[in-house]
Amino acid sequence: MENKDFNRRIFIKTTGVAAIATALSGNLAFGSSLVPSVQNSIPRWRGFNLLDYFGAFPPKGETQSKTTKEDLKWMADWGFDFVRLPMAYPRYIIFDSQKYVTPSDVLNINEKVVDEIQELVFQAQQAGLHVSINLHRAPGYCVNAGFNEPYNLWKDQEALDAFCFHWEMWGNRFMNVSSKKISFDLVNEPSWRENMNDQFGSRTTIPGAVYRKVALAASQAIRKSNPDHLVIADGNDVGASIIPEITDLNIAQSCRGYFPHYVSHYRAPWVFKNPDDAPMPVWPGVIDGKSFSRKNLEELYQPWIDLVKQGVGVHCGECGCWRETPHDVFLAWFGDVLDVLTENQIGYALWNFRGDFGVLDSGRKDVQYEDWYGHKLDRKMLDLLRKH
């Protein structure tokens, strides 16, 4: 049974501290004249997703996704203060990679890899960055296909028990770390999907009572070691919708910056079955017979803005645009996205830092890059981010 009085006291304590920290840090845009219309109960963190442990299996050889100390330094030097670490739990368990993972495998923690992850977290914190660790692939659920899950997080108690087992472990690992430096983002982009291996299968809304049960159990597991741990829940419907059923649980919520996908994921093969058939994006304008403008973004984020006004912390845990979208269209669209978020004191984390969505080495074909210590820097994109 949940203790509502306890949760209320923790909520007041946490939000009060966060509000003071926000005020003291001048958590406005880096040079922006935008005046926030609301006060978010968590800081308006700005930064990037780090993909070191994003895949279910370790990469072979050197990979662009490996974060360096230079990366972290550049982020901080440019004025950013946040990184999100989306992880696939198979990366830090011991199992036979030639076979399907079993429920008992899920509980078999690889302490060596967990130590490596902890070291990356500490390096980021030493650079002055808040770190939000996230289960991008959790026991029994992932928004992506490509890995066989032994059960379903939203239906099976055994999966929920394993989910809580993992989060209790991570809570213990960082039991003495302040919520100013660490947060725990429960599961990436939840949705209800019967066939976990069907990448393009239909996804529906998780029933509110089911989401509440999972979020409450996991948050309690995290807070066993430290009742002040900051917990974040990604929005329902693949991150798109607020979760009204958990607003009393002292859990912040995370939205997305990918609307419309015609712009953010133009020609992305994991979104379009036939990328060559993807309609050419414009902003603002008509795409595939539908009209899009900043007004659509304002309507999209209004429930999240209302959530902030209720005292629930809100952050945009992922946003950005894949490399195939024309650069001028991307910048016009993303400028509107960041404006709406900034005006409402909502921070963001770009997917990613170096790579297809990033400010470095994105592979975009229509950008005049600047050399940055051997990397290709998208200066226009960086300047846009730093204004917000």
Side-chain angles (χ1 to χ4, degrees):
M1 179 181 295
E2 69 189 86
N3 186 328
K4 291 186 177 180
D5 289 338
F6 172 80
N7 280 322
R8 181 180 62 82
R9 292 197 304 272
I10 294 298
F11 176 78
I12 292 171
K13 177 181 179 181
T14 305
T15 55
V17 170
I20 293 171
T22 300
L24 291 176
S25 63
N27 225 338
L28 298 175
F30 296 135
S32 170
S33 59
L34 294 171
V35 177
S37 59
V38 294
Q39 180 61 59
N40 202 335
S41 64
I42 61 173
R44 195 179 69 85
W45 292 305
R46 304 163 303 279
F48 306 88
N49 281 261
L50 307 181
L51 306 190
D52 299 61
Y53 298 92
F54 169 67
F57 299 98
K60 296 179 180 179
E62 290 297 315
T63 173
Q64 187 182 44
S65 65
K66 185 175 177 58
T67 301
T68 67
K69 289 185 177 181
E70 288 76 19
D71 291 337
L72 302 173
K73 180 181 183 300
W74 295 335
M75 292 176 199
D77 287 348
W78 285 333
F80 299 100
D81 58 4
F82 177 91
V83 290
R84 179 174 179 262
L85 186 58
M87 303 181 296
Y89 79 86
R91 285 291 292 278
Y92 62 82
I93 65 171
I94 300 171
F95 70 102
D96 186 345
S97 60
Q98 303 303 311
K99 300 179 181 178
Y100 288 149
V101 67
T102 68
S104 60
D105 292 331
V106 175
L107 306 180
N108 193 9
I109 301 297
N110 187 331
E111 296 292 342
K112 179 178 181 295
V113 179
V114 171
D115 287 344
E116 294 172 358
I117 294 170
Q118 181 172 294
E119 178 58 27
L120 175 59
V121 170
F122 287 157
Q123 287 180 7
Q125 291 170 340
Q126 288 168 1
L129 306 171
H130 177 98
V131 181
S132 186
I133 60 173
N134 161 256
L135 287 184
H136 190 279
R137 178 173 291 280
Y141 179 78
C142 184
V143 69
N144 298 333
F147 188 88
N148 186 76
E149 288 296 329
Y151 34 39
N152 188 318
L153 176 60
W154 313 111
K155 296 195 299 184
D156 302 324
Q157 184 63 44
E158 190 174 13
L160 178 55
D161 290 344
F163 186 58
C164 292
F165 172 85
H166 281 249
W167 275 124
E168 183 175 351
M169 177 199 71
W170 287 115
N172 286 334
R173 278 277 175 156
F174 300 105
M175 64 185 300
N176 296 318
V177 180
S178 166
S179 61
K180 294 179 181 180
K181 295 184 177 182
I182 191 81
S183 57
F184 304 83
D185 182 351
L186 299 179
V187 58
N188 183 72
E189 298 178 0
S191 65
W192 189 279
R193 189 173 68 202
E194 292 295 332
N195 185 353
M196 294 295 297
N197 291 314
D198 184 359
Q199 181 68 31
F200 298 100
S202 62
R203 298 182 176 96
T204 57
T205 303
I206 299 167
V210 173
Y211 201 133
R212 179 183 175 86
K213 175 183 177 182
V214 171
L216 176 59
S219 63
Q220 289 176 334
I222 291 167
R223 289 170 173 153
K224 281 184 179 180
S225 57
N226 184 340
D228 290 331
H229 273 329
L230 176 56
V231 179
I232 301 173
D234 283 9
N236 210 331
D237 299 310
V238 197
S241 305
I242 66 168
I243 319 144
E245 296 83 4
I246 68 168
T247 55
D248 64 321
L249 298 184
N250 185 19
I251 296 176
Q253 298 190 30
S254 179
C255 60
R256 291 294 179 267
Y258 293 137
F259 176 85
H261 71 279
Y262 295 113
V263 175
S264 65
H265 287 73
Y266 174 58
R267 291 180 54 81
W270 65 95
V271 174
F272 294 96
K273 284 186 177 181
N274 299 302
D276 290 342
D277 295 335
M280 177 62 70
V282 295
W283 190 266
V286 177
I287 311 172
D288 199 26
K290 304 177 184 70
S291 181
F292 295 100
S293 68
R294 177 185 172 123
K295 182 180 178 181
N296 298 108
L297 296 173
E298 293 171 344
E299 293 171 348
L300 173 77
Y301 289 114
Q302 190 58 53
W304 298 94
I305 296 165
D306 292 341
L307 202 61
V308 172
K309 292 177 180 178
Q310 294 175 39
V312 178
V314 173
H315 187 260
C316 181
E318 290 184 22
C319 59
C321 197
W322 198 48
R323 66 187 183 190
E324 292 293 316
T325 301
H327 201 237
D328 58 341
V329 175
F330 160 53
L331 293 178
W333 164 78
F334 202 42
D336 281 346
V337 172
L338 294 178
D339 276 353
V340 174
L341 294 174
T342 298
E343 288 171 358
N344 293 284
Q345 223 22 27
I346 298 172
Y348 63 84
L350 187 74
W351 186 284
N352 42 11
F353 183 64
R354 283 188 287 111
D356 294 343
F357 285 72
V359 295
L360 293 175
D361 305 332
S362 66
R364 299 180 188 275
K365 298 176 182 178
D366 56 350
V367 174
Q368 185 174 352
Y369 291 104
E370 174 183 324
D371 179 72
W372 184 263
Y373 298 94
H375 295 281
K376 294 181 178 180
L377 171 64
D378 184 343
R379 174 62 70 174
K380 288 185 177 180
M381 182 180 179
L382 177 61
D383 288 346
L384 177 63
L385 290 168
R386 295 186 70 192
K387 288 178 182 177
H388 296 83

